[in-house]
Amino acid sequence: MGGGAQRVDRRAGREGTVGVTGYRLFLTAPWEKVSAEDSAGWGALAGVTGGVDVYRPAAGSGVPAALVVGLGSGVPGTGWEAAEVAGGAAVRRERPVAEPGRLPVAGRRVEYAVEVPGTRGRWCVAVFSVLEVAEAAQPLTASLVEWFDTAMGTFGWTYD
């Protein structure tokens, strides 16, 4: 929309914003979306609030990972680095998964928070977790983190 043109969100009755209705993310096989009944309560595990989508590897794939995408208010915690996703403001952080007493294995957690266009303080948060289930799992973990970064490159918004 060059030349200073603005799109109008007629439903909200305000100029300069477009009603975001959702997101799109291209995930290659073997990922599948979990039904709403199966994902009840998973948002709290990922630290996001609002609508939550949960993706998991297809049964039998052997991929020890999960992806949770949801809406939140603000960006929780520290350690974020600036990123660009879908042509807009975003932040990314990566950290080890090590919760003594909860999980007997190590892993990595990668999070992206992408500001929802036309809102103040609303963020779409994508949380990817992968477990290192064997001592030789670090190359697989690094490859899966790289895959997730690539998948986030396909992230975009859907509009009215």
Side-chain angles (χ1 to χ4, degrees), residues 3-135:
Q6 288 188 317
R7 295 177 74 180
V8 176
D9 179 1
R10 297 194 195 293
R11 184 183 66 195
R14 53 181 200 267
E15 293 186 20
T17 62
V18 177
V20 173
T21 58
Y23 70 91
R24 62 178 172 21
L25 183 63
F26 179 72
L27 301 175
T28 55
W31 293 90
E32 62 187 16
K33 190 172 182 178
V34 178
S35 73
E37 299 87 40
D38 291 343
S39 65
W42 282 34
L45 296 176
V48 296
T49 59
V52 175
D53 291 328
V54 178
Y55 300 88
R56 67 178 177 210
S61 68
V63 177
L67 170 61
V68 178
V69 181
L71 291 175
S73 297
V75 178
T78 61
W80 296 92
E81 297 179 4
E84 184 177 322
V85 175
V91 290
R92 179 193 185 275
R93 74 177 166 191
E94 180 177 342
R95 55 192 173 158
V97 173
E99 296 186 35
R102 293 191 73 194
L103 294 175
V105 296
R108 301 294 302 164
R109 179 172 166 159
V110 181
E111 301 162 283
Y112 279 85
V114 185
E115 190 171 24
V116 178
T119 68
R120 292 186 183 176
R122 294 292 288 169
W123 293 76
C124 181
V125 180
V127 180
F128 177 73
S129 298
V130 59
L131 298 178
E132 295 173 350
V133 293
E135 288 183 29

